[in-house]
Amino acid sequence: MSASNEVTAWDRFSAAAAQRPGFVTLAFGLLGFALSLFWMRAGPTIPSGDSVAYLESARSLLESQQHGWLVWQLAEDGRAVPLAGRFEVNTIWPPGMSALLAGAMWAGVDIQLAVRGLVALFAGLAAAGGFAVSRLVTRSAAASIILTLLYLALFAVQWWVIESWMAEGLYLAVTFGGIVLFHRVATTANLSNAIFLPVGLLFSSVYYLKSIGPGFMMAAVASVLCLRHWPLRRRIICAGWLAAGCGVGAAPWLLRNLSLGTIGSGGLAAPDAVMKSLLDLGRLFVPRHGAFTESGRAVVMLGLFGLAVIGIVAALALPAGRAGRLRRLVARIEEAGPGAIFAVVYSLTFIAAVAAGVKLDKTGWVETRYWMEIGLFFLMFAWLAAQVGLAELTGLARHALRASVLVAGAVIAVANLAESARTASFTRLRVPDEPQRKRARAELVRMLSPVGQVAFVSNEQYRFGIETGVSASATVEEALRRTGETKPVRFVYVAYPAETKPTMALVSTPPAVPSGWKVVGIIGEAVIHHSGDAGFVSPVNSKNP
């Protein structure tokens, strides 16, 4: 095909996409929704302890109207009931996700159906918002379609947004929608400066979804100050209104946590945090690499992708005309409008915020799922850089840049689709429906009758809690601390076999059943052990069995 035909084909595609942007946005929303339902056909996935925290906080909100964790015990009639006086407040995970799930459960929706519907809804909104933001930044509907499809093809997006019960999908939907709203407000003539106050109130909602939310709010305020075509006085006034709205909206959650003496989680930065963060950034686009020995194909793809990225960067950094090309890239972003400026500022603020989290020991390193939240912006800015280079370069350099763009896109698509296919059959921890939980609890009652006060210990306490709705601890000592009762406690060890097949479930540890405990039954893969005579223990003045 000749160069003229290539241009004509692209122009026709662009014109067709540009004629109905609303239809394309809706189509992406439906695509994200449908993909999510497809990947959740066996049930929503529980990929991490964060998911468990959202589930348990939702149950706590529904039962006690408090955001935290209750201790759920097995009742004589097979119900899971909260242990009186045992409650731990949650200051790590914001309440937005849990509140939505609690509302659905309050309306009588089964927990699995509620989770499935919310995850699919968030995935659809994130897909539609991704296209809308791409169109704002690139000002090309056709390019936005390709970039958004490439983003949805990322394995990290499939895992954390499309099939799993996590806050990432809703957070992406809200941040993408916030950038579009910011663009619309900042480009609408004759609006009062005070309009940024309610906009700030809306933006504060991100703080109730993820702890990184303040970074989005700070980026919004900084973006107003970066609107250089506005008079300085107006920029300062609008930024003040926006900051006030964000502060007022975020204050309840912030003050609540301060009153409890802590904000967010605590941890230790990994010794090689910078290298691990860069490797996880690479895994966002070329998954399944680490020690560079697991897959030769992944090494080849990563190398090709690296060369392609170098080629795109070189298009801007070549000595001849370097300053001019960089200025044109900045001008291209400013011409795209406030939404594109917000996307740039937010990306920079996000990187600074997560780096600060590592420095302050709030997280170990910048994981792939964090990079994923600005991954679409990486793709958009790479496309803009390539467009500037293609407009400026000639001859061999121009052909090399075009090849770099095609190779980068092809590697991203192939590597991530291959990873999705490779892991499709891997074991996943799923959210069961309530009838499944009831059957599991009925089996426990039959095995342990009379039930009395029972403390469950398990090598996979999260899995046991999800499958039954009853709380379990990792050790007998922890179980004693959590129950805190003065009356005797019976101990039961729930042993799940260590995973021997490929798994995407939570970390599996080998069971460690205390010596002398007897098997009383099996529920699914779980082997139930009773402590026998040693099971009647007073937490106050007796030793642990």
Side-chain angles (χ1 to χ4, degrees):
M1 184 179 287
S2 66
S4 60
N5 286 336
E6 286 182 348
V7 172
T8 300
W10 177 259
D11 287 345
R12 288 176 178 173
F13 179 46
S14 300
Q19 285 177 355
R20 296 183 177 179
F23 173 79
V24 178
T25 303
L26 177 61
F28 267 109
L30 294 175
L31 174 63
F33 189 84
L35 283 174
S36 183
L37 291 180
F38 172 78
W39 279 105
M40 292 191 297
R41 58 193 183 279
T45 300
I46 301 296
S48 77
D50 293 20
S51 308
V52 179
Y54 294 132
L55 287 171
E56 290 306 310
S57 292
R59 295 176 71 195
S60 175
L61 284 171
L62 191 63
E63 177 69 27
S64 66
Q65 293 74 56
Q66 298 184 83
H67 182 57
W69 299 284
L70 297 167
V71 175
W72 296 87
Q73 61 181 352
L74 182 67
E76 296 279 358
D77 57 5
R79 292 179 300 121
V81 296
L83 185 61
R86 289 291 170 265
F87 178 80
E88 184 178 351
V89 295
N90 180 355
T91 62
I92 300 175
W93 291 274
M97 286 279 288
S98 301
L100 290 173
L101 179 57
M105 293 166 64
W106 176 82
V109 182
D110 177 78
I111 184 171
Q112 189 192 82
L113 181 60
V115 170
R116 191 192 299 259
L118 289 173
V119 171
L121 175 62
F122 301 157
L125 291 174
F131 170 76
V133 170
S134 297
R135 187 166 169 268
L136 281 181
V137 175
T138 65
R139 297 196 298 175
S140 168
S144 300
I145 290 174
I146 294 173
L147 293 174
T148 308
L149 286 174
L150 203 57
Y151 183 66
L152 292 177
L154 296 180
F155 176 72
V157 174
Q158 176 213 310
W159 179 239
W160 296 108
V161 175
I162 292 178
E163 67 167 290
S164 295
W165 171 245
M166 290 290 289
E168 271 69 12
L170 181 56
Y171 183 78
L172 286 174
V174 172
T175 52
F176 289 161
I179 292 174
V180 174
L181 174 63
F182 180 87
H183 182 87
R184 296 284 183 260
V185 170
T187 55
T188 301
N190 301 321
L191 286 180
S192 168
N193 295 337
I195 190 64
F196 280 94
L197 177 64
V199 171
L201 289 171
L202 288 174
F203 282 3
S204 67
S205 63
V206 297
Y207 191 34
Y208 294 85
L209 302 177
K210 292 198 70 177
S211 298
I212 194 68
F216 181 81
M217 294 185 282
M218 289 187 290
V221 175
S223 298
V224 174
L225 297 174
C226 291
L227 300 178
R228 296 192 296 175
H229 60 287
W230 282 11
L232 179 60
R233 182 173 181 273
R234 186 188 180 194
R235 280 186 275 166
I236 293 174
I237 292 174
C238 291
W241 280 117
L242 186 61
C246 291
V248 170
W253 179 244
L254 176 64
L255 294 175
R256 180 257 194 188
N257 288 348
L258 287 175
S259 69
L260 297 171
T262 182
I263 298 178
S265 61
L268 292 175
D272 51 350
V274 174
M275 181 55 67
K276 293 188 74 169
S277 298
L278 292 176
L279 281 174
D280 271 17
L281 174 59
R283 287 190 187 96
L284 175 63
F285 300 107
V286 184
R288 201 189 177 197
H289 69 268
F292 300 101
T293 57
E294 184 180 358
S295 168
R297 256 183 324 189
V299 175
V300 172
M301 288 188 175
L302 185 63
L304 289 173
F305 179 72
L307 290 174
V309 171
I310 291 172
I312 296 172
V313 173
L316 294 178
L318 288 172
R322 175 192 302 164
R325 283 193 290 271
L326 290 175
R327 281 198 298 268
R328 274 184 279 278
L329 176 60
V330 173
R332 185 77 178 267
I333 292 171
E334 289 187 324
E335 286 171 9
I341 294 172
F342 191 177
V344 173
V345 175
Y346 172 54
S347 299
L348 296 174
T349 305
F350 186 95
I351 294 172
V354 293
V358 173
K359 186 68 175 177
L360 297 173
D361 287 337
K362 292 295 183 180
T363 187
W365 70 95
V366 186
E367 300 175 35
T368 298
R369 62 174 169 137
Y370 299 144
W371 289 121
M372 178 202 67
E373 292 167 12
I374 56 173
L376 181 58
F377 302 132
F378 285 140
L379 295 175
M380 291 187 295
F381 299 142
W383 185 88
L384 288 177
Q387 291 304 300
V388 170
L390 288 172
E392 297 294 322
L393 299 175
T394 58
L396 182 60
R398 180 184 176 89
H399 290 303
L401 174 58
R402 179 172 290 161
S404 296
V405 173
L406 294 176
V407 168
V411 167
I412 291 172
V414 171
N416 284 276
L417 292 176
E419 183 69 2
S420 294
R422 186 181 75 91
T423 59
S425 61
F426 283 18
T427 301
R428 286 159 164 79
L429 181 58
R430 306 284 189 178
V431 179
D433 56 26
E434 193 53 36
Q436 289 174 291
R437 286 180 159 187
K438 287 181 178 179
R439 286 194 294 271
R441 292 197 298 267
E443 280 294 298
L444 285 172
V445 170
R446 183 186 62 79
M447 293 175 188
L448 304 176
S449 182
V451 173
Q453 177 70 43
V454 179
F456 290 94
V457 184
S458 176
N459 60 315
E460 294 188 29
Q461 69 267 33
Y462 288 153
R463 179 177 176 181
F464 178 76
I466 289 168
E467 292 181 348
T468 65
V470 178
S471 299
S473 302
T475 64
V476 173
E477 291 81 5
E478 181 185 343
L480 282 170
R481 179 187 62 80
R482 293 183 71 180
T483 54
E485 293 289 315
T486 57
K487 58 186 178 182
V489 179
R490 301 171 68 199
F491 285 94
V492 171
Y493 192 99
V494 182
Y496 288 92
E499 292 287 353
T500 57
K501 54 187 176 180
T503 179
M504 297 287 288
L506 298 178
V507 176
S508 177
T509 58
V513 184
S515 176
W517 290 28
K518 299 179 181 179
V519 175
V520 294
I522 298 176
I523 301 177
E525 293 187 340
V527 181
I528 314 300
H529 298 76
H530 192 280
S531 56
D533 294 338
F536 295 92
V537 178
S538 171
V540 175
N541 49 26
S542 295
K543 294 182 179 180
N544 299 343

